[in-house]
Amino acid sequence: MQHVFSVDVEEHFQVAALASRVSKAAWASHPSRVEANTERCLDILDVASAKGTFFVLGWVARRCPKLIGRIVARGHELASHGMAHDRVTDLGAKAFSQDIQEARDVLQDLGGVSVDGYRAPSFSLRPEMDWAYAALIEAGYRYSSSVYPVRHDHYGAPDAPRQAYRPLADARFVELPMTTARVARMNVPASGGGYFRLLPYALSRRLLRRVQERDKTACVFYMHPWEIDSEQPRVAGLPWRSRFRHYINLHRTESRLKALLNDFSWARMDQVFSREIAQPENLPLIAQVRR
């Protein structure tokens, strides 16, 4: 079974954990490391003969235009992460529509390919946000991978479906949730990110295999380029929780990533879920799942 390898392409200083100390007005003054880190990700995937989907910030694309072409040229799917890492709930309907349209236009112009996928920053798109899904459809997107069915203090929709579903009844659009393993009637995160750095690799591998064997479905894994960059500048004055979440085990991520790529088969989102994206009418509607 092939699983989805995805990368949220953003700078090390653009994450929510650092927002209390790094304002957007100061982004341009911080040293950029995203291009070099993403190139390392591309090289690691090449060695493993793996492909993936790169959800790129429009902010990054405009500053590293050649990187977009290299992602496409090396056979990966180009997708959108919005323009400037704003949470959907912070933008509101009008600003959100402008954000996702601008990001898609920027990426398509630079990549020369259709951009069909979207991932909300900080997994801030919730299943009940019909207005946001309607905006994505209007902008030309075909799928979202933005819902994380877990309970978390910063994000998550613990009651959301764990498998692919239709968020709107009258639209050909699909939501592809982040992967969770069902353990003791709880959703346990199994999608990568900070949990991949925090948990022992053997446990991460076991959770993915549990989903593969019990649910008989493909998993969605994600990472950020800065997570393989243990030498990134440290931001001073962070609350202990933010410091812990962002910097824990950065020095171990690359070796774990190489093991992960060897232990499972990985491909692009639009390939792994090609049937679901092409025929969303065959998927359950969220209203039906919740009954």
Side-chain angles (χ1 to χ4, degrees), residues 258-286:
K258 291 176 179 177
L260 182 80
L261 292 171
N262 182 65
D263 287 339
F264 299 90
S265 179
W266 301 96
R268 301 159 43 135
M269 184 89 71
D270 62 347
Q271 295 174 344
V272 174
F273 289 104
S274 59
R275 187 185 329 181
E276 290 83 351
I277 296 169
Q279 300 175 322
E281 63 273 10
N282 295 331
L283 296 174
L285 181 65
I286 188 168

Side-chain angles (χ1 to χ4, degrees), residues 4 12 25 33 42 59 62 71 76 95 107 124 147 152 154 165 185 192-193 210 214 219 262 264 281:
V4 175
H12 61 285
R33 301 175 71 87
L42 291 169
W59 190 95
R62 280 184 168 160
I71 290 171
H76 304 286
L107 291 168
S124 55
V147 172
H152 190 278
H154 183 62
Y165 64 90
R185 292 189 289 183
R210 183 185 182 97
R214 296 195 179 190
C219 300
N262 182 65
F264 299 90
E281 63 273 10

Side-chain angles (χ1 to χ4, degrees), residues 209-228:
R209 284 182 174 164
R210 183 185 182 97
V211 173
Q212 176 178 282
E213 295 169 3
R214 296 195 179 190
D215 296 337
K216 308 297 183 185
T217 187
C219 300
V220 178
F221 179 90
Y222 84 102
M223 64 162 294
H224 305 89
W226 56 262
E227 290 184 283
I228 58 172

Side-chain angles (χ1 to χ4, degrees), residues 148-192:
Y148 208 156
V150 295
R151 194 175 302 279
H152 190 278
D153 63 336
H154 183 62
Y155 57 78
D159 296 327
R162 295 176 54 240
Q163 313 297 342
Y165 64 90
R166 285 183 295 146
L168 299 178
D170 57 349
R172 295 177 56 80
F173 191 87
V174 59
E175 175 64 47
L176 303 169
M178 306 305 295
T179 296
T180 58
R182 193 70 174 167
V183 180
R185 292 189 289 183
M186 293 179 57
N187 292 346
V188 178
S191 302

